[in-house]
Amino acid sequence: MPSLLEIEQVEQRIASLGSAVRSEVLAYSESRDLRFPIYKLSFGTTDPQAPVLGFVGGVHGLERIGAQVTVALLNSFSELVTWDKGLQRTLEHMRVFFIPTVNPIGIYRKTRSNPRGVDLMRNAPVEADHPPRLLGGHRYTNKIAWYRGELGAPLELEAEAMVRGVESEIAESRLAITVDSHSGFGLQDRLWFPYAKTLKPFPEIGLVYSFNQLLERTYPHHFYRVEPQAGTYTTHGDLWDYIYERHHGVERNKPFLPLCLEMGSWMWLKKNPWQIFKSDGAFNPLIGHRHKRTLRRHNTLMEFLIRAVSSPEEWAQLTPQRSAEYENKAQELWYAKY
Ligand SMILES: [Zn+2]
């Protein structure tokens, strides 16, 4: 049976962590002779209402660096858990989870889509305003990228596993942030916030503004560009739009920020243009030192997020006045140009 390095690393972690981690196989992704587990690893308190931070990767198999970065964060986090008393205390009051390889067969075969040719980030029953043709999601054929799957069909197995895994962690949480790692766009690393489906502001933009202020104050030299995902283009079927809407419909007072880390892959292409001729060259840093640098590049973000989620008093508990003020500022900062 073929194996996948990222899954081997996850399994080694599960074995070495023992009772420090709760691990679960959300589903097995299968195709012909391939069968890979989709793991979820969860650390910290099981209190359903505790704040939660989640890392997800490998949704688009071709963007393998997303899975690799998520595993790299898991590796560092797993080491810290064994010796960092501060983190151990923090985890008594919060939870951190990882789903590093949502689409393992896509990673193995270097395809964007799942084994049935469906783009998982176009698969949810969510309709967009004015998406670009094809790229924004379509239902013509699974031979063309960005295929949404058949109208009315249930979620694809991998998408359903991810949704179930995330919802089981955040359902009653009083504050949740997730980071889904992708690559393939732009010269800069972006932190995208919802919606993907529309340029209308999503209900939590005041909170995003507050989050962004906290990031700017704490790490003024950070390199992320924080912006609404739909500012680039709108897409049908985004799984995070779907999870967000389901969560917000039930838990209006429990903020949830699903972020997408879109790594600026054009940086790698600019430095090494020849890699465009490799099948995965447009989406991944192929040269050793650049790859290593990418794997360690987001450690500060993880540490910041752990602190932000575990200390919501400072930025996430806004008075109605402050909330209204931040919403106006967010409108100006992110939406005025559209
Ligand atoms: Zn992607």
Side-chain angles (χ1 to χ4, degrees):
M1 176 76 86
S3 63
L4 199 62
L5 183 64
E6 289 80 356
I7 291 180
E8 285 174 15
Q9 291 179 331
V10 167
E11 288 174 340
Q12 282 163 13
R13 280 293 159 193
I14 292 170
S16 67
L17 281 161
S19 63
V21 69
R22 296 179 294 279
S23 68
E24 181 187 341
V25 175
L26 294 168
Y28 285 91
S29 179
E30 294 179 273
S31 174
R32 291 193 220 123
D33 57 333
L34 297 175
R35 184 172 195 261
F36 291 127
I38 302 169
Y39 280 107
K40 183 185 75 174
L41 283 75
S42 184
F43 300 81
T45 178
T46 54
D47 173 3
Q49 298 184 343
V52 174
L53 172 62
F55 294 94
V56 172
V59 170
H60 289 140
L62 185 58
E63 301 160 19
R64 186 168 193 166
I65 190 66
Q68 291 170 334
V69 162
T70 308
V71 171
L73 294 177
L74 167 67
N75 282 333
S76 297
F77 185 86
S78 302
E79 289 299 327
L80 290 172
V81 158
T82 61
W83 60 264
D84 178 355
K85 292 267 186 303
L87 180 61
Q88 290 165 357
R89 273 195 299 276
T90 299
L91 288 173
E92 290 170 12
H93 309 287
M94 76 174 282
R95 184 160 57 249
V96 180
F97 75 92
F98 296 83
I99 309 176
T101 58
V102 172
N103 178 14
I105 294 181
I107 297 172
Y108 182 80
R109 291 184 179 156
K110 300 184 182 178
T111 61
R112 176 181 173 90
S113 300
N114 79 348
R116 288 163 296 284
V118 176
D119 184 334
L120 299 174
M121 268 304 148
R122 304 286 185 275
N123 187 225
V126 174
E127 301 301 307
D129 298 340
H130 318 297
R133 231 172 92 84
L134 299 181
L135 174 67
H138 66 86
R139 295 198 195 276
Y140 302 120
T141 166
N142 66 1
K143 306 276 187 296
I144 302 175
W146 314 295
Y147 179 60
R148 300 181 65 184
E150 275 175 44
L151 182 64
L155 285 178
E156 289 292 306
L157 173 133
E158 298 81 4
E160 190 278 331
M162 182 193 118
V163 170
R164 179 163 37 86
V166 172
E167 288 186 339
S168 70
E169 297 286 341
I170 71 162
E172 292 174 53
S173 166
R174 60 180 168 271
L175 171 68
I177 297 185
T178 52
V179 180
D180 179 16
S181 292
H182 289 250
S183 64
F185 180 82
L187 280 166
Q188 194 182 353
D189 290 338
R190 285 150 206 268
L191 285 174
W192 277 339
F193 58 85
Y195 288 116
K197 64 176 179 171
T198 178
L199 269 168
K200 294 192 188 94
F202 95 121
E204 241 122 22
I205 53 161
L207 194 68
V208 177
Y209 187 85
S210 183
F211 171 83
N212 189 44
Q213 293 284 100
L214 187 73
L215 179 60
E216 293 278 333
R217 286 205 312 270
T218 314
Y219 296 106
H221 308 293
H222 77 81
F223 44 75
Y224 300 98
R225 186 176 166 140
V226 180
E227 60 185 11
Q229 182 160 349
T232 308
Y233 50 84
T234 57
T235 56
H236 291 304
D238 185 280
L239 287 172
W240 295 107
D241 279 6
Y242 177 68
I243 296 173
Y244 177 79
E245 295 270 272
R246 277 162 63 99
H247 186 76
H248 186 69
V250 187
E251 299 288 357
R252 282 184 185 275
N253 301 316
K254 294 182 176 167
F256 170 38
L257 300 184
L259 302 174
C260 172
L261 168 58
E262 181 76 18
M263 288 177 262
S265 59
W266 301 351
M267 291 185 284
W268 310 320
L269 271 177
K270 206 167 112 182
K271 299 252 174 69
N272 183 33
W274 293 103
Q275 71 181 50
I276 191 80
F277 297 111
K278 295 197 81 174
S279 62
D280 49 352
F283 299 95
N284 298 284
L286 298 184
I287 292 182
H289 64 273
R290 205 161 290 135
H291 185 250
K292 273 178 94 167
R293 207 180 296 149
T294 308
L295 293 185
R296 67 175 179 252
R297 189 172 163 87
H298 305 289
N299 286 335
T300 308
L301 177 67
M302 177 170 76
E303 284 166 28
F304 170 74
L305 288 168
I306 291 170
R307 290 178 178 153
V309 172
S310 67
S311 304
E313 302 79 10
E314 181 56 32
W315 66 279
Q317 291 168 3
L318 302 175
T319 60
Q321 294 92 320
R322 185 50 65 84
S323 194
E325 178 199 332
Y326 281 0
E327 270 176 41
N328 286 334
K329 288 185 166 167
Q331 290 267 11
E332 239 167 77
L333 177 61
W334 286 308
Y335 295 93
K337 60 185 168 203
Y338 301 116

